[in-house]
Amino acid sequence: MKRYFNIFLLFFGAIGLYSCHDLDVPVTTQLTPDVFPQTPAQFVQAAGPTYNSFRQSFAVEYWFLQSLSTDEAILPARGGNWYDGGRYEQHHKHTWNRDNAHVQGTWNWLTSTISISNQNIYLISKAPESDAKKTSIAELRSMRALCYFMMMDLWGNVPVTTQFGDTTTARTTARADVFKFIEKELNESIPNLSEVVGQETYGRPTKFTAYAILAKMYLNAEVYTGTARWNDAIAACDKIISSGKFALESDYRKMFFINNGPQIKEFIYAIPYDASAPNGYMFYARYALPRSLRAKYTLPFTPSSACSTLPEFYAYFNDSKDLRNQQWITGKQFDYKGNPVMVSTTKQGYDEDYKGADASVALTYQVDITPNVVIKNAASFDLGNDEKAWNMGYRNNKFYCDSTSATRNQNNDVPIFRYADVLLMKAEAILRGGTATNGQTALGLVNELRSKRTTSPAWTSVTLQAVYEERSREFTWETWHRNDMIRYGKYEDKWGVKTDNDVRKRLFPIPTNALQVNRLLTQNPGY
């Protein structure tokens, strides 16, 4: 049990007051400013519903939108499983529409979390003045700003409201104005945010979380507003670097193990997950691990084998001495004693196209995870229903599968901002024309990271393309690849069976249910 998570669970039941489909809920609570909250711990508890709401869909629907729409991941059907109305196929091909379940689910999740934040801020604002109150409100404003950042990144022009329950009167706000709102919220919150890093603030935004959001915004400012702000990105990164509170971890894999948490020096902001909590919402292994490896990893469930990467993305992992290669499951499989992992089937069970008279004869084969993802049935985006199909595509096990959980839920916390990202953001901003500061160069910053990730010699020069590839290796499955591809102008490229190059797909459509609830919203172009 991750004890630092319990403080959020104290108010988990309060989430029942809210619905992502009906946000016009009356403000009712037993908490009054006369009796509660008063102490710092009580303020944290009072804000619990916001954090519990935020953790619910980040590693599910939001991950689908951010990752499956890139060359980083693909979720094809296998033997009819996981087609689900074509929603995953739409992500891969960039053919989604406003009724796509993940588009709707992510919009509902973010707008619901924003609404809950607004209610929490309203309730806490009634408490007597104190430093704890100021910090709590600043944290909630920062969480709301992070949600708006995600919405701005996904949809561009979105409605902005700071009033709880305002779902029908908020008009679409221009993307550049959403940007200004987020920037203002964060800058006004920073003075009251904590500088403490570790157990005490884990899972809640600190000053450095706010600076990380700002750095990410400024790095993408040209995309969001049309105006580059490289020096502002560098300045925000410097606030984090100069604090001395963060460092690169020596063991890349351990950052993502099931026992990660406040002790990880790279984590600037991470979402705590607890497999024993109601609806853990974090089960990456369920999607990625081949079902043939259940015994190898002693899993309490059969993984779906659904999600893999594409050869175009895996090509970035071309350094045999890079420790980040270990996050992938590839090739012939062996157990931890060195014995080959064997699966028993039939000749036709192994290859459904085998038509020999001995098709039903037993066959035992060594599991071999192959790199190519071959769509056999284009109409159903299906690879086939044999062992070859189920083992197609290299699999990611970065957030190491959890054999200690009694369910498919995992205990791995999921970072949103890491120190490695700060170093690479500053390096990129310098390469794009920003002014180098504090004696740090783009080359030096990239080599600082690589010195912890590979035993290959340090680079003697660095280009923007090299930084892009380094980011691809470093942040696989951390929901930043779509953001990077758009900034680098690569989102319209071809990969897998995707051929769509419409730049309007850089934004998702506002979902049907949102348009029905609020007639003042304006749909994005092309939808």
Side-chain angles (χ1 to χ4, degrees):
M1 170 67 73
K2 294 188 173 184
R3 297 185 182 277
Y4 54 80
F5 188 67
N6 289 350
I7 197 163
F8 296 143
L9 292 181
L10 292 175
F11 270 70
F12 189 87
I15 294 182
L17 295 173
Y18 319 108
S19 167
C20 60
H21 302 292
D22 181 9
L23 302 183
D24 295 312
V25 180
V27 181
T28 58
T29 178
Q30 294 180 344
L31 308 185
T32 68
D34 295 329
V35 297
F36 185 78
Q38 296 179 15
T39 68
Q42 289 170 340
F43 276 105
V44 173
Q45 292 171 11
T50 292
Y51 298 104
N52 280 310
S53 178
F54 185 74
R55 61 184 273 272
Q56 288 184 28
S57 290
F58 180 89
V60 190
E61 289 162 324
Y62 179 73
W63 187 91
F64 287 144
L65 290 190
Q66 292 285 48
S67 300
L68 296 181
S69 62
T70 73
D71 61 355
E72 176 184 53
I74 183 173
L75 204 163
R78 300 174 196 255
N81 298 277
W82 288 96
Y83 186 64
D84 291 354
R87 64 186 67 171
Y88 309 107
E89 177 184 17
Q90 290 174 11
H91 296 327
H92 178 78
K93 294 182 176 179
H94 287 198
T95 57
W96 51 73
N97 56 43
R98 64 185 188 176
D99 295 315
N100 181 281
H102 300 136
V103 172
Q104 293 187 20
T106 303
W107 177 282
N108 291 342
W109 162 61
L110 288 169
T111 54
S112 178
T113 304
I114 288 168
S115 184
I116 293 169
S117 300
N118 288 339
Q119 185 185 27
N120 284 164
I121 290 170
Y122 171 81
L123 294 173
I124 290 173
S125 70
K126 302 300 181 182
E129 292 301 319
S130 67
D131 289 341
K133 172 185 172 179
K134 292 178 181 177
T135 296
S136 184
I137 290 177
E139 290 173 350
L140 287 167
R141 289 177 72 183
S142 298
M143 289 302 299
R144 184 174 64 190
L146 177 56
C147 290
Y148 272 121
F149 166 78
M150 292 176 172
M151 291 193 72
M152 175 184 67
D153 184 64
L154 292 169
W155 287 282
N157 308 322
V158 296
V160 173
T161 179
T162 59
Q163 301 299 314
F164 173 69
D166 183 5
T167 59
T168 61
T169 63
R171 294 180 178 274
T172 299
T173 303
R175 198 180 205 183
D177 291 328
V178 180
F179 184 101
K180 291 177 183 177
F181 168 79
I182 300 169
E183 183 180 29
K184 180 175 180 289
E185 285 286 290
L186 293 170
N187 283 326
E188 289 180 357
S189 298
I190 284 171
N192 293 313
L193 290 171
S194 176
E195 294 185 5
V196 175
V197 174
Q199 180 89 28
E200 181 181 337
T201 58
Y202 190 73
R204 307 196 328 267
T206 64
K207 289 183 190 291
F208 309 108
T209 306
Y211 287 129
I213 301 171
L214 287 171
K216 192 68 71 172
M217 287 175 58
Y218 295 143
L219 189 70
N220 292 279
E222 196 166 24
V223 173
Y224 297 147
T225 71
T227 302
R229 297 182 64 174
W230 311 124
N231 284 336
D232 288 330
I234 291 168
C237 290
D238 281 343
K239 291 288 188 180
I240 299 170
I241 295 170
S242 63
S243 74
K245 294 179 180 289
F246 304 94
L248 295 171
E249 292 285 343
S250 297
D251 193 325
Y252 182 78
R253 294 302 312 282
K254 284 186 177 180
M255 275 195 287
F256 309 100
F257 281 2
I258 62 174
N259 61 349
N260 63 355
Q263 75 277 11
I264 303 297
K265 296 299 183 182
E266 270 196 46
F267 287 3
I268 298 170
Y269 183 76
I271 304 175
Y273 283 97
D274 190 329
S276 65
N279 299 318
Y281 298 109
M282 195 286 168
F283 27 75
Y284 285 164
R286 175 199 175 198
Y287 299 114
L289 263 65
R291 62 181 186 176
S292 56
L293 299 184
R294 176 181 178 179
K296 174 180 178 178
Y297 293 106
T298 61
L299 296 177
F301 62 92
T302 300
S304 70
S305 302
C307 192
S308 59
T309 195
L310 290 160
E312 293 94 327
F313 184 79
Y314 188 76
Y316 299 130
F317 292 81
N318 53 7
D319 176 3
S320 63
K321 298 180 180 179
D322 196 316
L323 302 176
R324 291 168 295 196
N325 295 350
Q326 297 171 8
Q327 66 186 290
W328 296 103
I329 299 174
T330 66
K332 298 283 188 181
Q333 293 300 299
F334 299 84
D335 65 21
Y336 292 109
K337 294 182 179 180
N339 302 311
V341 176
M342 308 298 291
V343 169
S344 296
T345 182
T346 65
K347 289 188 175 181
Q348 195 168 61
Y350 178 77
D351 180 355
E352 64 182 354
D353 293 326
Y354 183 79
K355 304 301 182 184
D358 58 347
S360 60
V361 171
L363 171 71
T364 299
Y365 76 96
Q366 182 181 1
V367 174
D368 186 4
I369 308 302
T370 55
N372 295 322
V373 180
V374 182
I375 305 296
K376 185 175 182 179
N377 187 333
S380 58
F381 200 54
D382 204 315
L383 308 186
N385 191 25
D386 53 27
E387 292 297 312
K388 292 195 304 181
W390 286 99
N391 291 325
M392 281 185 186
Y394 288 164
R395 311 306 173 86
N396 190 278
N397 195 22
K398 179 178 193 169
F399 292 90
Y400 199 85
C401 54
D402 189 351
S403 62
T404 69
S405 171
T407 69
R408 66 188 184 184
N409 294 324
Q410 296 178 232
N411 281 292
N412 319 61
D413 294 348
V414 178
I416 298 180
F417 299 107
R418 289 198 285 119
Y419 188 62
D421 201 353
V422 174
L423 298 183
L424 290 183
M425 283 195 290
K426 181 174 181 179
E428 182 180 333
I430 293 171
L431 286 173
R432 290 187 183 276
T435 303
T437 59
N438 303 328
Q440 293 177 314
T441 64
L443 178 62
L445 288 162
V446 174
N447 275 331
E448 181 180 349
L449 173 64
R450 287 181 56 78
S451 70
K452 298 290 187 179
R453 306 297 192 241
T454 179
T455 56
S456 291
W459 286 351
T460 57
S461 62
V462 64
T463 63
L464 280 172
Q465 176 62 24
V467 171
Y468 174 79
E469 295 180 11
E470 190 68 14
R471 290 190 61 83
S472 298
R473 288 184 285 268
E474 180 68 20
F475 303 112
T476 301
W477 276 47
E478 293 185 56
T479 71
W480 287 120
H481 193 53
R482 171 183 163 274
N483 184 277
D484 291 342
M485 293 193 87
I486 291 173
R487 188 173 65 257
Y488 275 83
K490 297 179 181 293
Y491 199 55
E492 290 72 52
D493 291 352
K494 296 180 180 180
W495 56 81
V497 296
K498 168 190 174 289
T499 58
D500 192 303
N501 62 355
D502 188 347
V503 296
R504 294 177 297 182
K505 298 299 177 65
R506 294 184 177 190
L507 296 177
F508 288 98
I510 296 175
T512 297
N513 62 332
L515 293 169
Q516 292 172 340
V517 170
N518 186 352
R519 300 293 182 178
L520 299 179
L521 299 181
T522 303
Q523 184 59 275
N524 283 324
Y527 298 106

